[in-house]
Amino acid sequence: MSQSLAALERQRSAVLSEIIDLGDFRSGSISAISGRCGKPDCRCHQPGQPAHGPNFRLTRKVNGKTVSETFAAPAQRRKAQREVDNFQRFRELSRQLLDVNVQSCQLRDVEKRDELLPR
């Protein structure tokens, strides 16, 4: 059952309001990295000793290149995680906005569409 144009416009407004209220967001993912250092005398090279870490990094693409950011404090990591979570929410809301707009475009009659186009 298709929705009315008025219902779709209300839905679009609600999605746009959620986007406005998102706050800061950025792309990327946060991962935990553990590893052995380059110092041969370090404890991490001794049998049965754990590697260094975990160290948390945000990895993202900037102009086609992978960029990593490390966090000096747990509070920085938590802030970055909130921003990444907000970005994921932004992507979902963007998909919803597109779906609503496609449905709205299909419901509008041709004459109305022509009136909305820039001349």
Side-chain angles (χ1 to χ4, degrees):
M1 175 186 211
S2 66
Q3 297 183 43
S4 71
L5 192 55
L8 289 169
E9 288 174 351
R10 284 191 301 274
Q11 190 175 352
R12 178 175 44 204
S13 292
V15 170
L16 288 170
S17 291
E18 280 192 67
I19 290 173
I20 288 169
D21 292 338
L22 272 177
D24 292 338
F25 59 86
R26 56 177 156 167
S27 64
S29 61
I30 296 176
S31 56
I33 309 294
S34 296
R36 307 209 185 281
C37 69
K39 300 176 186 174
D41 293 339
C42 182
R43 64 140 179 94
C44 70
H45 291 283
Q46 303 304 314
Q49 293 297 313
H52 293 286
N55 298 307
F56 294 93
R57 291 190 180 141
L58 170 70
T59 306
R60 59 193 171 97
K61 292 281 189 179
V62 176
N63 297 325
K65 296 187 179 190
T66 301
V67 176
S68 291
E69 176 183 340
T70 58
F71 306 108
Q76 289 176 321
R77 179 179 52 85
R78 288 189 300 271
K79 177 184 175 290
Q81 186 62 61
R82 281 191 306 273
E83 294 163 351
V84 169
D85 292 345
N86 283 348
F87 179 71
Q88 295 302 321
R89 182 66 183 143
F90 170 75
R91 288 177 62 178
E92 173 57 32
L93 290 169
S94 295
R95 281 190 287 275
Q96 289 178 23
L97 183 61
L98 180 59
D99 290 345
V100 167
N101 277 299
V102 167
Q103 292 175 53
S104 294
C105 289
Q106 292 170 343
L107 281 179
R108 291 188 201 284
D109 57 2
V110 174
E111 293 80 28
K112 185 129 186 160
R113 285 189 208 157
D114 286 344
E115 291 172 13
L116 297 175
L117 293 175
R119 300 199 189 266

